[in-house]
C-alpha cells in the first residue's frame, strides 16, 4: 500500500513562490505516473501537473510557465515548484500516484474527471495566495 504525504504549503503574497513536496512510501517515484491536483471548497478537483515514470511532464494551461513538476527517485519525493503565484492558485493541493497515462492528457486539456483514475492520494496541503 502506497502512502503519500504532502508538505510545503502555506500563505504567500501574490508573485511569491512555494515548493510542495510529496514523500512517497516504497519505490513509488519513477515507477508510477504521478500528478499534482488542487481543489477549492464546492469545486471539482482539477489537474495541475503530471509526470510519467520516464520524466515526461504535462501541465494545465493555467500554470504552464509558472509551475514545474519534478521527481527525485533516490529520495522518493515528488515536487511542485510554484512561481509567480496568483490568488486563483489558492487551493488544497494533493499528490496522486499510479495514474493512468491518459490522466496526463486530461490534465493538459483541463478535463476534470472524478479521481482521475489514481490509485493513491495524499491528504493535501493548503496553499493560500493573497
Amino acid at each position: 500500500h502506497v502512502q503519500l504525504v504532502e508538505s510545503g504549503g502555506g500563505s504567500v503574497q501574490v508573485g511569491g513562490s512555494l515548493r510542495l513536496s510529496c514523500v512517497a512510501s516504497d519505490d513509488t517515484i519513477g515507477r508510477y505516473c504521478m500528478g499534482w491536483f488542487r481543489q477549492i471548497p464546492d469545486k471539482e478537483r482539477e489537474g495541475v501537473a503530471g509526470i510519467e515514470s520516464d520524466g515526461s511532464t504535462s501541465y494545465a494551461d493555467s500554470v504552464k510557465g509558472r509551475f514545474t513538476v519534478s521527481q527525485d527517485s533516490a529520495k522518493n519525493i515528488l515536487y511542485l515548484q510554484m512561481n509567480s503565484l496568483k490568488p486563483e492558485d489558492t487551493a488544497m493541493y494533493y499528490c496522486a500516484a499510479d495514474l493512468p497515462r491518459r490522466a496526463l492528457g486530461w490534465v493538459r486539456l483541463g478535463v476534470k474527471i472524478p479521481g482521475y483514475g489514481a490509485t493513491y492520494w495524499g491528504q493535501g496541503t493548503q496553499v493560500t495566495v493573497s
Side-chain angles (χ1 to χ4, degrees), residues 20 35-50 58-64 66-67 80 82 86-96 99 103-116 121:
L20 305 184
W36 286 99
F37 298 80
R38 64 187 182 188
Q39 188 171 20
I40 59 176
D42 299 324
K43 294 290 186 180
E44 297 172 289
R45 191 167 296 189
E46 65 176 6
V48 175
S58 296
Y59 296 93
D61 285 344
S62 59
V63 306
K64 199 175 296 181
R66 300 188 298 123
F67 290 11
L80 184 68
M82 305 187 296
K86 304 175 180 180
E88 51 263 45
D89 295 319
T90 295
M92 184 73 79
Y93 283 71
Y94 299 89
C95 90
L99 288 158
L104 268 61
W106 295 334
V107 170
R108 190 166 53 248
L109 295 172
V111 176
K112 298 178 183 178
I113 304 292
Y116 288 85
W121 288 92

